[in-house]
Amino acid sequence: MSGKVVTSAADIISALGMQPHPEGGHYAETFRDREINGRAAQTAIYYLLQEGEKSHWHRVTDASEIWLFHAGAPLRLGIAEPGEPAVESLLGPHIAAGERPQCVVPAGCWQSAVSTGAFTLVSCTVAPGFEFTSFEMAPPDWSPPKAL
């Protein structure tokens, strides 16, 4: 891909060596910090959702996660405290339009995301470091309660 402008989801997935993620989309781990008390202090991934893909409702039970926008269409990120309705944030570059370049998901909160266009590329950092043993996927048809 030397010299080629990377503009499609397929190009990005290939260039970044991404693989399918269990929640949907593709990812590549880019950083795993030193261990403190047997767990990485922090981890980071690239994460990409293509049009028609969804990050299904899931949560990291014991660590906070920060989503950081990089490229593509804005991303709709739903966040729900357990038992509460979801609040939606829009990650993207158009700050004056209400989009934000980053969003924090507190530990234990449910989260789900979808691209608003052809694709969205973000990074996600987790502290303390992400471990699949702390990752919980909601049942396929589950969603948080609706607001009254």
Side-chain angles (χ1 to χ4, degrees):
M1 290 200 171
S2 180
K4 180 181 177 186
V5 176
V6 177
T7 57
S8 73
D11 287 345
I12 293 168
I13 290 166
S14 176
L16 297 178
M18 300 176 99
Q19 60 186 339
H21 197 290
E23 75 193 47
H26 289 78
Y27 82 105
E29 186 173 272
T30 58
F31 177 69
R32 184 165 287 273
D33 204 352
R34 71 191 185 289
E35 287 191 6
I36 299 174
N37 297 325
R39 185 169 177 175
Q42 177 181 350
T43 55
I45 64 169
Y46 288 128
Y47 183 66
L48 185 138
L49 284 171
Q50 299 178 77
E51 186 173 28
E53 291 182 322
K54 178 182 178 184
S55 166
H56 296 281
W57 286 106
H58 68 283
R59 64 182 171 178
V60 180
T61 59
D62 63 354
S64 297
E65 184 168 358
I66 301 174
W67 291 63
L68 304 142
F69 178 84
H70 293 303
L75 180 96
R76 293 191 188 285
L77 177 62
I79 302 170
E81 294 276 350
E84 297 294 325
V87 175
E88 188 174 277
S89 295
L90 195 59
L91 271 72
H94 305 292
I95 294 168
E99 297 172 11
R100 294 296 178 256
Q102 74 176 31
C103 186
V104 176
V105 179
C109 287
W110 293 101
Q111 54 185 302
S112 177
V114 64
S115 177
T116 62
F119 72 87
T120 304
L121 175 66
V122 297
S123 283
C124 297
T125 64
V126 177
F130 180 82
E131 296 292 339
F132 272 105
T133 55
S134 300
F135 175 82
E136 181 181 353
M137 193 82 120
D141 57 350
W142 182 89
S143 63
K146 303 289 183 207
L148 298 177

